[in-house]
């Protein structure tokens, strides 16, 4: 359904363009938990921790009703601007994901900014992914069937973990799925992406919020040019996983996500980019019967099964 005039007015009212996220991020976290309460899924679920130094990273493992013998795994990184969100607020999303893909889903509760600034989040996500790869044989999981997936800031983290894996040479994912990802650090009015200006004020996620999130996330201004924060700034994107990127039409992050797919392709990688018509940022958190969610899982399953999306 296209966004009509009445819906646009409602969205503008909900966008709160003047709300200072930097001063109210704790309130945002509370609102997110209220909007997406923890509801125990119908299917099997297991809470675990992955030790990194003196810190244990919580993970939540979701099992589909009928799991394939080779135990295909999706390693999931949640969205929320690196500042809000957690494995509880994404439990319904991950339960649906396990059910609709037939994959085991491992949701990573990485540490959030500003308490833990960059590069804590990507290092946490890298550590959990490394542990999954190192223990794949023990649990009967084929490494080729381990896929990274994330939405928004989580899509950013999936892309970053893939670059880190290439750089460090300890493991290498064969696939990654990036849902409306953040890939750049410039969301000012001089941004090279037209979607920042087209969709930056009236569609829930505003450019002001994005800039506030990045200010809370970065440790210094030098981080803004670091490809582990803004992967599209990487001078070398060779040897990256096969990639599916799904963007949303009315999303300020739309163009940078699509540009990342083009840059991956330019460096010789296999990359598919699909723009979800009439969709807003964050749509994967909608109930699973919504058209954008159903279409996304059609694309995701085709990608995971090496089928054409045409």
């Amino acid at each position: 359904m296209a966004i009509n005039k009445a819906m646009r007015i409602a969205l503008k009212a909900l966008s709160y363009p003047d709300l200072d996220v930097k001063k109210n991020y704790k309130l945002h976290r509370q609102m997110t938990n209220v909007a997406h309460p923890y509801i125990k899924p119908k299917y099997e679920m297991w809470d675990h921790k992955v030790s990194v130094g003196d810190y244990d990273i919580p993970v939540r493992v979701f099992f589909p009703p009928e799991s394939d013998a080779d135990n295909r795994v999706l390693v999931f990184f949640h969205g929320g601007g690196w500042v809000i969100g957690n494995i509880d607020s994404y439990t319904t999303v991950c339960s649906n994901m396990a059910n609709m893909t037939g994959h085991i889903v491992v949701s990573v509760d990485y540490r959030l900014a500003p308490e833990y600034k960059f590069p804590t989040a990507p290092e946490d996500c890298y550590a959990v992914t490394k542990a999954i790869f190192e223990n794949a044989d023990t649990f009967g999981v084929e490494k080729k069937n381990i896929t990274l997936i994330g939405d928004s800031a989580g899509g950013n983290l999936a892309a970053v973990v893939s670059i880190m894996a290439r750089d460090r040479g300890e493991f290498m994912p064969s696939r990654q799925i990036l849902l409306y990802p953040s890939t750049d650090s410039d969301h000012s009015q001089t941004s090279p992406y037209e979607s920042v200006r087209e969709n930056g004020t009236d569609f829930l996620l505003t450019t002001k919020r994005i800039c506030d999130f990045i200010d809370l996330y970065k440790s210094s201004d030098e981080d803004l040019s670091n490809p582990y924060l803004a992967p599209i700034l990487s001078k070398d994107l060779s040897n990256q996983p096969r990639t599916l990127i799904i963007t949303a039409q009315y999303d300020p992050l739309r163009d940078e996500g699509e540009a990342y797919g083009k840059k991956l392709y330019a460096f010789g990688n296999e990359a598919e980019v699909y723009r979800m018509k009439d969709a807003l940022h964050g749509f994967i958190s909608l109930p699973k019967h919504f058209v954008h969610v159903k279409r996304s899982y059609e694309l995701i399953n085709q990608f995971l099964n090496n089928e054409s999306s045409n």
Side-chain angles (χ1 to χ4, degrees):
M1 178 184 294
I3 297 179
N4 59 32
K5 184 176 180 180
M7 190 179 297
R8 285 178 182 271
I9 294 172
L11 288 170
K12 187 174 180 65
L14 290 170
S15 295
Y16 303 119
D18 296 322
L19 182 64
D20 192 337
V21 174
K22 289 186 283 188
K23 292 181 179 179
N24 297 284
Y25 67 89
K26 291 183 179 179
L27 176 61
H28 271 257
R29 289 176 182 171
Q30 295 172 1
M31 292 168 61
T32 297
N33 289 335
V34 170
H36 304 283
Y38 168 72
I39 300 174
K40 188 174 182 180
K42 301 177 182 178
Y43 315 116
E44 186 180 356
M45 184 185 76
W46 176 48
D47 282 341
H48 183 58
K49 292 183 179 180
V50 174
S51 297
V52 179
D54 59 355
Y55 181 72
D56 293 333
I57 304 169
V59 299
R60 181 164 289 162
V61 185
F62 300 81
F63 297 90
E66 296 181 5
S67 180
D68 292 340
D70 61 356
N71 286 341
R72 300 179 297 168
V73 174
L74 294 172
V75 184
F76 178 77
F77 310 126
H78 69 76
W82 311 278
V83 174
I84 61 177
N86 52 49
I87 55 176
D88 283 346
S89 63
Y90 269 81
T91 284
T92 298
V93 171
C94 291
S95 177
N96 289 340
M97 188 175 294
N99 182 33
M100 298 181 78
T101 64
H103 280 56
I104 295 170
V105 176
V106 181
S107 180
V108 181
D109 205 11
Y110 57 87
R111 284 172 283 186
L112 300 176
E115 293 89 346
Y116 299 95
K117 291 181 175 289
F118 175 84
T120 301
E123 291 291 352
D124 282 358
C125 293
Y126 180 89
V128 172
T129 307
K130 179 183 175 184
I132 292 171
F133 271 84
E134 288 180 341
N135 292 283
D137 294 339
T138 302
F139 295 102
V141 177
E142 292 191 56
K143 293 179 181 178
K144 68 177 183 178
N145 289 330
I146 299 173
T147 302
L148 306 187
I149 182 171
D151 76 315
S152 193
N156 168 280
L157 291 169
V160 168
V161 168
S162 293
I163 297 173
M164 295 169 74
R166 190 264 327 263
D167 292 347
R168 298 179 183 182
E170 295 178 305
F171 63 88
M172 195 65 224
S174 59
R175 289 181 298 265
Q176 62 178 353
I177 300 169
L178 315 179
L179 306 175
Y180 36 85
S182 169
T183 66
D184 209 332
S185 56
D186 181 6
H187 301 92
S188 67
Q189 287 303 301
T190 59
S191 163
Y193 309 111
E194 189 59 35
S195 61
V196 168
R197 289 173 288 279
E198 287 181 356
N199 304 323
T201 57
D202 299 339
F203 299 101
L204 298 180
L205 179 67
T206 65
T207 51
K208 182 182 186 303
R209 288 186 188 180
I210 298 170
C211 292
D212 284 349
F213 283 141
I214 289 178
D215 281 345
L216 290 169
Y217 181 46
K218 69 181 183 181
S219 295
S220 68
D221 286 343
E222 286 72 25
D223 293 337
L224 298 176
S225 59
N226 190 325
Y228 291 173
L229 186 148
I232 201 168
L233 300 182
S234 177
K235 295 180 180 178
D236 180 9
L237 281 177
S238 61
N239 300 315
Q240 286 300 279
R242 182 168 163 256
T243 303
L244 171 65
I245 298 174
I246 303 177
T247 63
Q249 181 178 356
Y250 297 111
D251 183 355
L253 300 180
R254 181 194 68 206
D255 291 352
E256 67 192 74
E258 295 173 2
Y260 191 64
K262 292 177 181 178
K263 189 167 182 178
L264 284 171
Y265 183 80
F267 273 89
N269 303 288
E270 185 178 348
E272 301 175 34
V273 179
Y274 184 92
R275 181 185 295 185
M276 193 66 66
K277 185 180 178 182
D278 296 327
L280 302 174
H281 185 87
F283 65 79
I284 202 66
S285 295
L286 294 170
K288 60 185 179 182
H289 64 270
F290 273 61
V291 62
H292 298 137
V293 178
K294 291 195 294 185
R295 179 56 180 152
S296 291
Y297 280 114
E298 289 175 1
L299 294 167
I300 288 169
N301 285 326
Q302 289 167 355
F303 175 77
L304 293 171
N305 295 321
N306 299 312
E307 299 171 358
S308 173
S309 60
N310 296 327

